[in-house]
Amino acid sequence: MLRVEAPAYYLITRPRWKLYACRNVLQEAASHDAKVNSYSYSERRNRKKEGAYIDKDGVARTFDRKKISRKRGGAIKGRGWKYGSGFVDGVFPVLSPMAQDILEFVQKGTDVAKVWESLDNIPRAHDLWDDIVNVAVQLRLNRQWEPIITVCEWILYRSSFRPDIICYNLLIDAYGRKRELSKAESIYMALLEANCVPTEDTYALLLRAYCNAGQLHRAEGVISEMQENGIPPSATVYNAYLDGLLKARCTEKAVEVYQRMKKERCRTNTETYTLMINVYGKAKQPMSSLKVFSEMKAIGCKPNICTYTALVNAFAREGLCEKAEEVFEEMQQAGHEPDVYAYNALMEAYSRAGFPQGASEIFSLMEHMGCEPDRASYNILVDAYGRAGLHQEAEAAFQELKLVGMRPTMKSHMLLLSAHAKAGNVSRCEEVMAQLHKSGLRPDTFALNAMLNAYGRAGRLDDMERLVAAMERLDGGGGAAPDIGTYNVLVNVYGRAGYLDRMEAAFGAAAARGLAADVVTWTSRISAYARKKEYGRCLEIFEEMVDAGCYPDAGTAKVLLAACSDERQVEQVTAIVRSMHKHAKMLFKL
C-alpha cells in the first residue's frame, strides 16, 4: 500500500462563516477580559492561540485548539465512537450525493495511489469532512476493511484535515479485523503522538484485535495500561474483552474476566449477560447459561431479544428442544417478536435433537409469520435432514436455497456433503466437491473432512489416504490444513476396520502436528480395542485420557461397557462411571 510520510502538523479547513464567528467571540472575550484583568504580552499572545465560545450561562470561555480537532457540528463531527454498533452515536449515516459518489468510487478503486489522488482533487467545502467520515462509517457497516484503511490513511497522511478519534478508531478496528496487530498498534501510537486522547472505545477495539489474534497476554496489557493511567475499565471495555474472548473461544478466560468485573464492582449490563450466556452456551453448559439469565433478571437488568436468542441457542446446541421452546415462549410473553435469528436457534434445537420434521415445521411457521428465512435457515434445514440420514430431503433443501436466489456458501456445500457422506453416496459427494470448485470456492478443512468420512464409510481407504496426504502437503494453505477432526476420521475408520497399527499411527500423527486429542479421538481409540474385547488395553487408554486432561463423556462410558466380557468387569466399569458422575464438576463456576 502506498504510504506518504505524515507531516508534523495538520491544517484544518473550516467554513468562512465559522471563522468569522470565532473571531467575533474572540474580540468580545478579549474586550471582557481587558476590563477585568491586565495581561502580560506573552499571556495575550498565548490567548490568541486559544479558541473561545459563550457557554449556556453567557460566560466567555476558551478551549485549546490543539486538543480539539474541529468544532462540533455537522453530521458526525466530534461525536465520538460507539463500539460494536457499526455506526456513530447509534445513527446510521445519511449520505449526501457527494458522499454517495465518493463511496461508490472508493468501493471500486483498487489502486490506493489513484484513490488518494482523486480525493485530493475534490473541491474543499465546509461539509467535506462530514462526507468523508460518513463514507468511512458506511464502509464499516459493509465490513469493507481495505477501503476504510484507504480513506482513513488518506486523512492521516495526505489530507489537510486533522484526524480525530473517529479516524484513529476506524483504522484500529480495520487493522484488528484483518489481524494486522503491528499496524493497529502503530495507529494507536500515532494517536498518542498527535495528542489525541484515546477513548474507552479505542481500548475496546484494541482488546478485540488482540483476542481475535489469540494474543491474550497483550489484551491483559491493555487493561493494565488503563488502570495505570487511572482509567478504570468500564462495562464497554470489559464487554469488548468478553466479545473477543467469545469469538476466540477462550471460554475459561472469559469466565475469569466476568468474575473480575463483579469483584471490581463494574456495573454489568444487558450486553454483559448476553455475552456470558453465549460463553456458557458454547461451552455446552446450558444450565449455567440459565443461571446467568436468572441472575440478570434478579438484579433488574431487562433481557432483550438477543439475550433470549442466546439462551435458546445454548439449549439448542445440546438438542434440548423443550427448554429451548420454553425460552422461546417466554421471549414472546415478554413482548419480543421473534426474528430470523430466534427462529433459526429453535430450528437448530430440533436439528441437534434429531427431529428434522420439527425443524421443518419451525421453518414453515417462520414464513407464515412473515419472517423471511435467510441463508442460515436453509443451512440448518440441510443439516437437520443430513443428521437424520435423509439425504434426499437435504438435497431438496439445498436446491431450494438456490431457487430463492441465494448463493450457497462453503458451509452450505459442506453440510450437503456431510449428508451424502452419512448416506454413503460417495459419487454425489464428489459431484458436490466439483460443484464447489466450479462456484469459485476453495474447500476448507470441514468440507474435506466430510469427504474423508465419505471415503472411509465406503471403504475407499486409498482415496482417503491420498486426500489426507494432499491436506498435509498444503500445510495450512487455503485454510485446508488437517485439524483434530481430520485425524478423528482416520482413527475411527481404521479402528472400525480393525487396522490398529494404522489407527495408532494416525493418533501419533495428530500429536506430532501439535493437535490435542479430544474426547472423540480417545473414545474412538478405546472403541477399536473394545471390538477386540481387549478390556485391559481399554482401561490403559482411559487412564491416558484422564491424565491428558480430557474429560470422558457418556459415549466413553458406553464404549467401556462394550469392552466388558464378564460381570466383574461390568461392576468395575460401573464403579468408574459412578465415580465420574459423583465427582463431575461444572467446568466453569459462576
Side-chain angles (χ1 to χ4, degrees):
M1 180 179 291
L2 179 63
R3 301 176 70 92
V4 179
E5 290 297 323
Y9 61 92
Y10 297 87
L11 299 176
I12 305 176
T13 59
R14 292 188 179 88
R16 296 186 64 184
W17 68 270
K18 289 186 178 179
L19 290 175
Y20 294 152
C22 191
R23 289 174 187 168
N24 292 337
V25 174
L26 281 170
Q27 290 172 2
E28 291 175 10
S31 174
H32 174 76
D33 291 339
K35 294 178 182 179
V36 179
N37 299 311
S38 59
Y39 284 84
S40 64
Y41 171 76
S42 61
E43 288 173 327
R44 291 197 302 273
R45 182 179 61 184
N46 292 335
R47 175 82 172 184
K48 291 180 181 179
K49 294 181 180 179
E50 295 177 339
Y53 66 99
I54 303 297
D55 68 10
K56 63 181 181 180
D57 298 322
V59 179
R61 298 188 181 278
T62 62
F63 60 88
D64 188 348
R65 295 186 187 279
K66 292 183 178 180
K67 292 184 179 179
I68 299 181
S69 59
R70 56 189 55 78
K71 291 180 66 179
R72 290 180 180 270
I76 304 180
K77 285 183 181 176
R79 293 191 183 182
W81 178 270
K82 184 174 180 182
Y83 166 77
S85 61
F87 47 88
V88 178
D89 280 351
V91 179
F92 285 92
V94 179
L95 301 183
S96 68
M98 172 63 77
Q100 190 64 46
D101 290 341
I102 295 173
L103 176 64
E104 292 175 3
F105 172 75
V106 171
Q107 287 175 325
K108 294 178 182 177
T110 54
D111 190 326
V112 175
K114 290 182 179 179
V115 172
W116 283 13
E117 184 179 352
S118 299
L119 292 174
D120 289 340
N121 295 328
I122 298 176
R124 295 297 181 265
H126 71 277
D127 56 354
L128 179 59
W129 171 258
D130 293 334
D131 289 338
I132 294 294
V133 174
N134 282 337
V135 165
V137 174
Q138 184 63 46
L139 289 169
R140 186 178 187 272
L141 285 171
N142 298 334
R143 305 177 67 84
Q144 295 176 295
W145 312 120
E146 283 294 345
I148 288 175
I149 293 170
T150 300
V151 171
C152 291
E153 288 198 336
W154 174 79
I155 296 173
L156 194 63
Y157 300 125
R158 181 105 164 202
S159 76
S160 59
F161 293 112
R162 179 179 178 180
D164 66 359
I165 194 62
I166 297 178
C167 179
Y168 287 114
N169 282 354
L170 280 165
L171 275 171
I172 291 171
D173 186 33
Y175 280 128
R177 301 273 188 166
K178 288 165 58 64
R179 298 191 179 186
E180 297 182 14
L181 295 184
S182 59
K183 292 184 178 179
E185 289 173 337
S186 68
I187 295 298
Y188 176 69
M189 296 306 298
L191 179 156
L192 298 177
E193 291 171 3
N195 294 323
C196 189
V197 180
T199 63
E200 286 183 340
D201 301 309
T202 309
Y203 294 115
L205 293 167
L206 279 172
L207 279 168
R208 188 174 65 178
Y210 286 133
C211 291
N212 287 346
Q215 302 287 336
L216 300 186
H217 63 287
R218 298 169 81 175
E220 278 294 324
V222 174
I223 298 292
S224 300
E225 182 177 342
M226 291 185 69
Q227 292 171 335
E228 289 173 4
N229 293 333
I231 308 173
S234 66
T236 300
V237 175
Y238 274 126
N239 288 347
Y241 198 3
L242 289 173
D243 184 43
L245 292 169
L246 174 65
K247 288 182 171 61
R249 297 188 178 276
C250 300
T251 49
E252 292 187 50
K253 185 64 179 179
V255 174
E256 179 188 322
V257 171
Y258 176 61
Q259 296 290 352
R260 189 192 309 172
M261 284 184 73
K262 295 198 290 186
K263 185 177 180 181
E264 295 176 358
R265 298 186 180 277
C266 179
R267 188 171 184 178
T268 51
N269 54 27
T270 302
E271 184 182 0
T272 311
Y273 290 109
T274 303
L275 286 166
M276 287 310 303
I277 288 170
N278 272 319
V279 166
Y280 285 114
K282 289 191 175 182
K284 297 184 178 182
Q285 291 196 33
M287 300 314 295
S288 295
S289 294
L290 183 60
K291 191 171 182 179
V292 172
F293 183 74
S294 301
E295 176 187 333
M296 174 185 186
K297 292 192 295 183
I299 66 170
C301 188
K302 190 174 181 179
N304 58 23
I305 190 169
C306 296
T307 314
Y308 284 106
T309 303
L311 190 56
V312 173
N313 266 319
F315 289 117
R317 288 187 181 94
E318 295 300 295
L320 301 174
C321 301
E322 292 184 2
K323 297 297 293 184
E325 284 178 357
E326 289 176 12
V327 178
F328 191 84
E329 290 175 4
E330 183 179 343
M331 175 181 66
Q332 293 174 295
Q333 291 170 0
H336 298 290
E337 183 178 350
D339 57 10
V340 65
Y341 304 105
Y343 282 115
N344 286 350
L346 193 56
M347 284 178 63
E348 186 73 25
Y350 285 106
S351 173
R352 295 290 183 98
F355 299 120
Q357 297 305 323
S360 179
E361 288 178 9
I362 298 300
F363 185 91
S364 299
L365 175 64
M366 175 167 44
E367 292 181 309
H368 177 73
M369 297 301 294
C371 183
E372 186 175 352
D374 61 4
R375 186 183 288 109
S377 308
Y378 287 97
N379 285 347
I380 293 170
L381 206 54
V382 172
D383 188 35
Y385 287 126
R387 286 174 182 269
L390 304 173
H391 63 97
Q392 292 180 347
E393 288 81 354
E395 182 75 46
F398 181 84
Q399 296 302 329
E400 186 179 350
L401 167 65
K402 295 194 290 184
L403 286 175
V404 297
M406 296 183 189
R407 184 180 180 184
T409 61
M410 172 62 69
K411 185 173 183 179
S412 308
H413 287 90
M414 186 269 289
L415 293 171
L416 182 63
L417 198 64
S418 298
H420 286 292
K422 191 168 186 178
N425 192 350
V426 180
S427 59
R428 179 54 183 149
C429 288
E430 292 175 334
E431 289 175 6
V432 173
M433 289 292 288
Q435 183 181 351
L436 194 149
H437 284 286
K438 189 177 180 180
S439 301
L441 299 172
R442 180 175 294 181
D444 61 7
T445 301
F446 298 105
L448 294 177
N449 285 352
M451 195 69 229
L452 282 174
N453 194 34
Y455 284 137
R457 283 176 175 270
R460 293 170 56 174
L461 302 188
D462 292 342
D463 291 329
M464 182 184 74
E465 290 169 354
R466 277 195 292 270
L467 183 54
V468 171
M471 292 174 70
E472 290 176 336
R473 284 196 301 271
L474 286 173
D475 195 26
D483 62 2
I484 191 60
T486 307
Y487 293 99
N488 284 349
V489 172
L490 297 181
V491 170
N492 185 48
V493 170
Y494 288 138
R496 285 180 176 275
Y499 297 138
L500 300 185
D501 291 341
R502 292 191 189 182
M503 181 194 71
E504 293 294 353
F507 184 84
R513 294 183 70 88
L515 299 171
D518 59 16
V519 66
V520 176
T521 324
W522 289 104
T523 303
S524 296
R525 191 175 170 213
I526 294 172
S527 179
Y529 288 101
R531 288 188 180 88
K532 302 289 186 181
K533 293 296 180 180
E534 294 188 22
Y535 177 73
R537 183 63 180 136
C538 289
L539 285 184
E540 289 176 6
I541 296 173
F542 177 78
E543 291 177 1
E544 291 177 27
M545 176 182 183
V546 175
D547 291 342
C550 183
Y551 194 79
D553 61 7
T556 313
K558 183 178 179 180
V559 168
L560 281 173
L561 286 169
C564 299
S565 57
D566 55 43
E567 292 183 3
R568 183 185 60 82
Q569 292 176 351
V570 171
E571 289 177 0
Q572 186 177 2
V573 171
T574 302
I576 292 172
V577 173
R578 286 176 177 171
S579 176
M580 287 166 50
H581 179 72
K582 181 179 179 180
H583 295 95
K585 298 180 180 178
M586 297 300 288
L587 185 57
F588 310 118
K589 292 184 179 180
L590 290 173

